[in-house]
Amino acid sequence: MRMPLTRPATSVSSVLSEGFIKNSDAAFAPKPTNPNKNLATKCIDPTESLLKPFVPWGKGACTRVRDFEEAVQKQIPASSIVFSVRMPHNGFEMSKLFQFMVGVLTLEIEYDENIHMEKPTVYLEETYSTENTTGLINYYLTTVRMKRAIVRGTNMPEPGAQYDCEPLSLFELSSVHHKHYLINIRLPVGEIDLGNGEKKLTNEDIGAIKDVNIVKSLRLVILMSMIGITITAITNKRVFAKYTTFQPFFMIKAPYKKKHGLSVKHASYSRWTIFCLAIVMSFLNFPLEWLTLIFEIPAMLLISDIRQGASYAMLFSFWIIFVGEHMMDQIERNRLGAYWQQILAIGTACCGLLAFDMTERGSQLINPFYSVWNSEQGAKLAMGFIILAGVCVFVYFFSLLFMVFCVFRNLRMKSIAFNSMPKNRKKYYQALVYRFRFFIIFSLFCAVMTIIFFIMSQVSEIYSWHLDDEDGPRIHYTSGFFTGVYGLWNIYVLAVLFLYSPSHKEEPLLSREMMTMPTIEFPLLSFLRHKRSSNAITNISYLQAVTHPQFLLPCEKVLDISSPPHTRSG
Amino acid sequence: MRFEWLVGVLLLPCASLLAKKTTAAASSKWWSVAIPHRETNEVTGTAPVDEISGPSSSINRIKLLNKSQRKTVRSNSGSIHAIAAAVALAVNECRYQFRLRRWNCPTNTKATGQTSLFGKILLKGFRETAFIYAITTAAVTHSVARACSEGSISTCSCDERDKGPSGEDWDWGGCSDNAIFGHRFAKKFVDAGERGRDSRNLMNIHNNEAGRKTVLAEMKRECKCHGMSGSCTIQTCWMRLPSFRTVGALLKDRFDGASKVVFNNNGNPSGRGRQNPSDFFEPFNPDHKRPNSKDLVYFEDSPDFCERNPRYGTVGTVGRICNNTSLGMDGCDLMCCNRGYVSEMEQVKERCKCTFKWCCEVHCLECDYTRTVHRCE
């Protein structure tokens, strides 16, 4: 007997080998994000107006103080000090190859015996300008921003040591389209009108700030690839895109051909799901980010989040429908309504996260310094959305696990009757069981690998910074894992597409046989099981029953699941 | 260059004779870049020794460097300011760490560029000498790394090696762990002063490396997650430079546990080939373990620093304030070398009950204290 999986097996092996190439590339890829630390220059703004940007170096550089002791001597008030960072450093220019830029603010607060800090809150006024070769072209201003600078660790050994401060996220730019970026930050002291008539004393208790650092983090447009391996990555991505784009059309063709007298409405739901999954994955793999090389698209982060979300939603839906169709119970499942609970859970989770993402990233389109987390109500709302999504995902996984359990239970029952089935049908069901087992094992493998990758990336990052191995190979595991997980799920979806898409090859004998007598076994088997327990029916009588399927034809409508059973070449 | 070692061997006796007079001054000359180059070159006991001034003085400063140091500074524009800041940092930290000891890190009041900032103690191989070298080198590492993240040195890069399939030096204007550059710069710059191969040079090179390593070992990794909804799918991690106080405290610990070594003849004194300075010495007490690369080493026992000694340029402890209840080095018995002390009642005005306002405003009350002050005789 030939294995029913020869065609997909070869395809999968080719995809897998490609996947390994991709992963080995990834091992030498740069870090997924490229952090870059900038120490802010302390400019002096005697007018304390927020109308003018202050440039730390270059043409029109500001007057500056070296440290705060100098500022104390010169009696410069706090509100006149502008922390200015121009990115990148002198002599460099931003590259459009970067997909986004994230800024993190770290404060260096020196321990002083005389100063007691309790839950210090930082109030920042930030301005942001972009600059091209022609000079400053944009100027944005954001003012109200409260941040809680959580000081970790309170036991300070001696004066002069630094507090361990929590880094604060500062800005997110979805498009790095300009040559230079200038950030000005002020920490004004005094009474500030918060807008709604409420007044507040600001920056009273933030201690002896010595310096302000901004860590900017950049990610490449071509995710996890870099100049050295770009070409490979491009081809890989193209190959993936091609497979995933065109494969579904081949697959979906078959049911429409009506070669076996099938109509479209008989095409089972999982087929549509596979088709949709292929489309969504193609969309995810499509290198949309490359558009930022030409256009300034501030919404790119939002778009890629939505893309990612859509692919998750589709994958989740696929799982539930696929498992549902292998349930082999009496329930009509060839309609979306049968999965309403799970679909509702997925939908709610997606909507919640979308709402959150729209408020966070959507607002950042206008104001890159905005963050929901900065205001208390916003943080509560955001947390609410995330918890809602988390609960939904939990419910979903619980029901998925339950369904998988049911399927395995049913399969075990069915497999008892294999020996007594006619050859073709036995083969068909064996294939069904095989496919399902393979699917579950493969899914489980991917999930476990993802978790392992995640843990290892966390661990390896911690230990990757060694001093003494300067001559040793430098492999950025994180991005390797990152690429690895990305490639893994791509391979997963691709394998699913190959394995579970309907074949366009003809299977005249089996098909015809199955056409004439679809889906008899299940009611029969339950009947059989029932009878077996009472020893009233023998194998021979069972075979007789099967060879006279007319008796059971009324079940056809009920058990639509196996109506067009296109098995692999057997 | 093949005969270089031959020349070296022939000239070695002469060189070592000369070295006694020249190397210490040559190797430590660069410290003087921190001193403002004015007519009255005065570094007072407590004032910070930092003065960043215009381009004319930075030319003057460069004159104080030797040839290869000059080359390093010229090829990394902006680094001279970082070096000047580093010396000030090192002196302040040294004074802070040694404020309670007999030797309290005195610096020359007259620094004309000919004599060294720290005085003649550098001609010896004391523990204190080891500390001075370690802390100044650590300060250069720290200060250069900091200047890199401020953007005032334009040549900073994450990695000088252009090896690797992915082009390691792909940094787009800076990187998070500039300390590697700081380390490399300090090695190139500071060790260039130690051209000889006598025991003192080897000791200095080892202690310099210990200082640099201490800075690097104290780098802390910080991370911030900014994936979708703040998840950690996208994480940015960077290295945070330690505060120099932490570095100073660690080096002080190393000072307390420094190992005395003797020099052997295992190494190749002409300096050919890549050899660790630590190959040339072994612990004085054979039962002790070999010092590792972060330990400070010395080969001469320190004097007691009780009396004024022009040979080391120390002033002694006469007139120093001591603590009559302490049993440590700042206690009057130890500090005054059992010479006894004078106790006086003094009216001290001190800042108290300070409220700090960011920035630059400290509101304090002036409180009068009557305090008994003990001074060594």
Side-chain angles (χ1 to χ4, degrees), chain A residues 373-430:
Chain A
W373 302 101
N374 287 338
S375 69
E376 237 167 75
Q377 291 94 339
K380 272 181 195 160
L381 196 69
M383 212 57 214
F385 278 131
I386 289 168
I387 289 171
L388 178 73
V391 168
C392 286
V393 168
F394 180 76
V395 167
Y396 164 82
F397 269 102
F398 192 74
S399 66
L400 182 69
L401 276 179
F402 180 70
M403 282 172 83
V404 169
F405 171 74
C406 286
V407 170
F408 271 112
R409 199 188 53 191
N410 287 350
L411 284 179
R412 207 171 53 239
M413 285 176 180
K414 301 288 182 314
S415 60
I416 299 167
F418 275 168
N419 290 335
S420 49
M421 281 186 190
K423 192 183 156 203
N424 277 347
R425 189 165 306 134
K426 182 180 154 189
K427 213 184 276 177
Y428 168 66
Y429 280 112
Q430 272 179 337

Side-chain angles (χ1 to χ4, degrees), chain B residues 78-89:
Chain B
S79 55
I80 189 79
H81 296 292
I83 293 163
V87 178
L89 194 66

Side-chain angles (χ1 to χ4, degrees), chain B residues 141-210:
Chain B
T141 312
H142 194 270
S143 181
V144 166
R146 218 177 155 72
C148 277
S149 59
E150 201 181 17
S152 46
I153 299 177
S154 51
T155 46
C156 300
S157 67
C158 306
D159 200 331
E160 283 187 346
R161 296 169 299 145
D162 289 325
K163 285 186 268 177
S166 50
E168 299 274 359
D169 200 20
W170 200 68
D171 55 349
W172 302 92
C175 53
S176 74
D177 42 5
N178 289 311
I180 302 268
F181 177 81
H183 180 275
R184 213 163 268 145
F185 181 91
K187 195 179 175 101
K188 221 179 202 174
F189 178 82
V190 180
D191 286 0
E194 309 293 334
R195 279 172 300 183
R197 280 278 155 177
D198 64 351
S199 49
R200 197 168 49 234
N201 286 129
L202 293 170
M203 171 186 139
N204 292 345
I205 287 171
H206 177 93
N207 292 329
N208 285 345
E209 181 62 19

Side-chain angles (χ1 to χ4, degrees), chain A residues 475-506:
Chain A
I475 297 173
H476 300 304
Y477 293 101
T478 331
S479 93
F481 292 141
F482 200 72
T483 323
V485 169
Y486 181 80
L488 184 74
W489 285 104
N490 248 313
I491 292 164
Y492 174 82
V493 171
L494 213 53
V496 163
L497 294 183
F498 278 126
L499 290 172
Y500 301 105
S501 62
S503 169
H504 59 278
K505 282 183 188 165
E506 293 178 46

Side-chain angles (χ1 to χ4, degrees), chain A residues 39 78 159 189 211 217 461, chain B residues 146 149 221 236-237 245 358-359:
Chain A
L39 185 67
V189 174
D211 269 307
S217 171
E461 276 274 333
Chain B
R146 218 177 155 72
S149 59
R221 185 168 170 273
T236 300
C237 292
R245 179 58 35 93
W358 192 89
C359 115

Side-chain angles (χ1 to χ4, degrees), chain A residues 248-249 251-259 262-265 267 271-272 275:
Chain A
F249 294 108
M251 292 179 312
I252 216 75
K253 244 177 8 191
Y256 293 124
K257 278 185 176 170
K258 300 188 179 182
K259 273 190 176 172
L262 290 169
S263 62
V264 181
K265 66 175 179 178
R271 234 162 263 182
W272 284 108
F275 183 56

